[in-house]
């Protein structure tokens, strides 16, 4: 990897760390010429599947839409930006690993599984939008499941 500061071709890895459930590698590098440091990410390259909308139409996957929904659910919750970024990476990798086509419902379930791990309130918020709870009882059942 070339140095982005002075263009020298000799840079060395000073630290490697697995992130996003081990599916991504973050490396700190140092230039042997100017001693500047920079970070690189090595990530599995698989393209995103097409998303099947409720009306049956196929659509591209848009990361910002995914992020919007997640951020809304996590509003004012005690979760750091780093945790959110990490979670989004994990969700994106799971989406990439799945079938050629994925319904918005399936994506919702992937998001829910990850939200459940980091914040239960956000999980319930997201679930109430995605699953469109039919009534208060269904909502309560979901809360009870969390408390088990
Ligand atoms: Zn350099």
């Amino acid at each position: 990897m070339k140095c982005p500061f002075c263009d020298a071709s000799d840079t060395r890895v000073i630290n490697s760390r697995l992130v996003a459930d081990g599916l991504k590698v973050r490396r700190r590098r140092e230039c042997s010429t100017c001693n500047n440091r920079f970070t690189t990410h090595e990530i599995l390259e698989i393209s995103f599947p097409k998303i099947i909308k409720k009306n049956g139409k196929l659509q591209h996957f848009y990361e910002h839409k995914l992020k919007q929904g997640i951020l809304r659910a996590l509003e004012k919750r005690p979760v750091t930006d780093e945790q959110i970024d990490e979670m989004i990476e994990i969700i994106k990798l799971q989406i990439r690993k799945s079938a050629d086509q994925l319904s918005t419902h399936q994506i919702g379930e992937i998001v829910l599984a990850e939200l459940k791990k980091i914040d239960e309130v956000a999980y319930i918020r997201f679930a109430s939008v995605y699953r469109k709870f039919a009534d208060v009882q269904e909502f309560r059942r979901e809360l009870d499941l969390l408390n088990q």
Side-chain angles (χ1 to χ4, degrees):
M1 178 81 49
K2 207 164 86 163
C3 170
F5 302 99
C6 74
D7 267 0
S9 54
D10 187 23
T11 57
R12 62 192 183 92
V13 176
I14 50 174
N15 175 273
S16 273
R17 187 160 86 85
L18 285 176
V19 286
D21 263 0
L23 289 165
K24 192 167 154 181
V25 184
R26 180 183 291 161
R27 293 203 169 96
R28 281 298 283 166
R29 288 174 177 270
E30 192 181 87
C31 174
S32 313
T33 308
C34 69
N35 294 326
N36 269 306
R37 292 182 174 187
F38 57 100
T39 305
T40 59
H41 292 271
E42 188 177 306
I43 190 165
L44 196 66
E45 191 177 292
I46 319 175
S47 52
F48 282 102
K50 284 270 190 294
I51 309 304
I52 311 161
K53 304 279 285 178
K54 281 212 181 75
N55 60 17
K57 285 194 176 146
L58 287 179
Q59 199 187 44
H60 287 296
F61 170 79
Y62 292 111
E63 186 177 340
H64 69 271
K65 284 190 181 172
L66 174 78
K67 208 167 174 175
Q68 258 172 19
I70 290 170
L71 289 178
R72 207 173 298 135
L74 283 166
E75 212 170 82
K76 297 192 175 124
R77 296 302 302 158
V79 177
T80 65
D81 286 352
E82 202 178 16
Q83 275 179 297
I84 297 173
D85 287 346
E86 186 106 335
M87 184 182 69
I88 289 174
E89 286 303 319
I90 291 169
I91 291 170
K92 276 161 54 188
L93 287 164
Q94 285 182 1
I95 292 172
R96 284 200 189 109
K97 279 199 294 184
S98 44
D100 292 346
Q101 295 185 353
L102 217 59
S103 68
T104 46
H105 176 77
Q106 286 171 302
I107 290 186
E109 294 301 318
I110 292 173
V111 173
L112 281 174
E114 292 306 315
L115 274 179
K116 201 173 189 170
K117 291 179 199 165
I118 69 166
D119 190 272
E120 291 186 345
V121 171
Y123 166 80
I124 286 293
R125 284 181 185 163
F126 198 88
S128 67
V129 174
Y130 247 88
R131 293 192 181 146
K132 294 198 173 53
F133 290 134
D135 51 38
V136 179
Q137 264 164 12
E138 197 182 337
F139 189 76
R140 208 162 274 154
R141 257 201 309 277
E142 195 72 31
L143 283 176
D144 288 343
L145 282 175
L146 274 179
N147 292 329
Q148 277 171 9

